[in-house]
Amino acid sequence: MYDYFMKKMIYQKFILGVNDKDNLLQALQRGLGGVIFFTKDIQNEDQFKNLVLGIKNKALIPPFLSIDQEGGRVERTENIRPKRLSARYAFEKGEKFLKEQAEEISSELNNWGLNLNFAPCVDVNTNPDNPIIGERAFANNPYDVIKGEEIFIEASRKNCIIPCVKHFPGHGDADKDSHLTLPKIDLSLEEMEKVHIKPFKEAIKNDIEMIMVAHLHCTCFDKEENLPTSLSANAVGYLRNTLGYRGVVITDDMVMKGVQDFGSLEACIMAIKAGVDMFIFRNSDEDTIKLIEDLLLAVEKDDELKTKIIESNERILKLKKRYGIL
């Protein structure tokens, strides 16, 4: 009986893509926490609404139904509608324009049956050669980023879409793409707090529902070890203990090269022990299902892991209840 409940709690920790519908169905029936949709999954409005509804109907526990819909460069609905402006260009057109665009985005997501948006991107783009953030950031200073995030978060909440700020502790100074490698941010904690962490601190004051942790090596948290912040007890501990965050912490996609060198199972175990609540895996293939089942075996021998999973489950379910998903 205990294993049955623990299995549901472990599956709740994962958000998977829909590339393998048989495996996805199996995971949904075991208590999968959520599903993420990409451009390839969205061909037209009716097809997309039916896909979302079908997933809802098959799930043992009502799932997060999620997407990366920042606007512009990161927008998954280009087969349905023309792309909007990226965050920087929308912000430059004025707060009124940004508010209207953010409300359009969240209203559409709600209409399609979704409940979670991995946005806004609150990185402060201080490195002009940054290959991954650039125009996705509202600005290159924390004060304008904070204005932008407040507008986007309010619009999301107004339309019953859970906002998720990303990519903690700040991807803006990176000179490499974490999809391809593990970028290194070699700034002091004082510098990080002064600029890059500031928007996350303000979001926490605003009771932000979810924070996405990046696959970055920040030397201010892990000087000696080449460790991604997504797996770092120091980085996630800072988020929990210093900033006092009590909401859901989720990783960036776990198939990204910035974290894959650790191996999926070991990476998940490290992240859970660090204080991470949920993982994104863009695939729902057999390897991903095996990973979740292997994690269940690992939990049976590790009381610390067990305790962390129970604590995370409480945070996940609390958020789902807050938005009427449960």
Side-chain angles (χ1 to χ4, degrees):
M1 185 63 73
Y2 175 78
D3 284 351
Y4 171 73
F5 289 115
M6 180 54 68
K7 190 169 193 167
K8 285 200 298 184
M9 282 191 257
I10 289 172
Y11 269 89
Q12 273 293 288
K13 296 183 74 61
F14 287 83
I15 291 180
L16 304 184
V18 299
N19 63 310
D20 188 319
K21 290 185 180 175
D22 289 339
N23 282 319
L24 181 64
L25 175 59
Q26 186 181 84
L28 286 165
Q29 291 174 341
R30 292 175 183 175
L32 184 67
V35 176
I36 182 168
F37 300 99
F38 295 94
T39 304
K40 64 180 175 55
D41 307 314
I42 306 167
Q43 300 306 315
N44 61 65
E45 291 207 46
D46 288 341
Q47 168 268 332
F48 186 36
K49 282 184 179 179
N50 288 333
L51 175 62
V52 172
L53 185 60
I55 286 167
K56 280 184 182 177
N57 290 339
K58 290 165 187 169
L60 176 67
I61 300 170
F64 290 123
L65 295 156
S66 67
I67 196 167
D68 290 286
Q69 195 82 341
E70 300 169 16
R73 195 166 119 201
V74 178
E75 196 167 350
R76 308 301 190 197
T77 52
E78 59 193 68
N79 294 329
I80 294 179
R81 64 168 332 283
K83 283 196 172 189
R84 297 179 172 87
L85 295 183
S86 291
R88 184 175 84 199
Y89 302 126
F91 185 81
E92 286 173 352
K93 285 180 79 70
E95 292 183 19
K96 181 175 181 289
F97 181 91
L98 178 62
K99 180 181 178 183
E100 288 172 355
Q101 175 167 295
E103 289 193 354
E104 283 176 12
I105 288 172
S106 52
S107 175
E108 283 181 350
L109 296 184
N110 179 280
N111 181 53
W112 293 324
L114 305 191
N115 51 40
L116 169 60
N117 188 8
F118 295 120
C121 177
V122 303
D123 304 285
V124 183
N125 195 57
T126 53
N127 183 352
D129 297 322
N130 193 316
I132 191 171
I133 302 300
E135 69 195 54
R136 296 170 64 193
F138 291 111
N140 59 8
N141 71 81
Y143 304 102
D144 284 343
V145 169
I146 288 166
K147 277 186 204 168
E149 80 173 353
E150 287 173 347
I151 290 167
F152 201 102
I153 288 168
E154 184 181 350
S156 301
R157 288 172 173 165
K158 181 179 174 182
N159 289 285
C160 298
I161 298 295
I162 300 166
C164 173
V165 295
K166 60 187 185 185
H167 309 78
F168 180 83
H171 225 300
D173 200 59
D175 61 359
K176 292 183 172 62
D177 185 342
S178 53
H179 292 87
L180 308 174
T181 188
L182 179 63
K184 182 178 181 179
I185 305 285
D186 194 14
L187 298 174
S188 69
L189 182 58
E190 183 182 11
E191 289 174 294
M192 288 294 289
E193 287 177 331
K194 190 175 173 183
V195 179
H196 299 282
I197 291 174
K198 199 178 282 285
F200 295 96
K201 191 173 182 181
E202 288 303 311
I204 290 168
K205 286 182 186 174
N206 192 15
D207 195 25
I208 190 63
E209 291 83 342
M210 186 179 284
I211 294 177
M212 182 185 289
V213 184
H215 305 311
L216 296 168
H217 174 218
C218 292
T219 57
C220 65
F221 293 120
D222 296 283
K223 189 76 175 172
E224 306 301 326
E225 199 173 359
N226 198 29
L227 197 63
T229 47
S230 50
L231 313 186
S232 167
N234 294 332
V236 183
Y238 174 90
L239 185 56
R240 294 286 190 204
N241 302 321
T242 303
L243 298 185
Y245 184 55
R246 298 291 174 260
V248 174
V249 174
I250 190 166
T251 65
D252 208 340
D253 195 339
M254 292 293 285
V255 305
M256 291 164 66
K257 188 65 176 170
V259 73
Q260 264 299 302
D261 287 348
F262 290 81
S264 292
L265 180 60
E266 183 58 27
C268 286
I269 290 171
M270 290 172 69
I272 292 167
K273 289 188 175 182
V276 166
D277 298 308
M278 298 191 78
F279 304 101
I280 299 171
F281 278 82
R282 67 170 51 233
N283 300 317
S284 50
D285 54 17
E286 287 184 14
D287 288 343
T288 309
I289 302 301
K290 184 179 184 301
L291 159 69
I292 301 173
E293 294 291 326
D294 287 346
L295 187 55
L296 180 60
L297 295 176
V299 169
E300 290 173 0
K301 308 167 193 168
D302 192 325
D303 286 342
E304 182 190 356
L305 207 53
K306 207 176 289 180
T307 300
K308 292 283 190 182
I309 287 169
I310 292 168
E311 289 172 356
S312 284
N313 193 63
E314 289 174 1
R315 285 190 284 266
I316 294 164
L317 297 185
K318 183 180 178 182
L319 178 54
K320 287 187 173 182
K321 286 173 184 172
R322 176 175 166 180
Y323 273 77
I325 298 167
L326 286 181

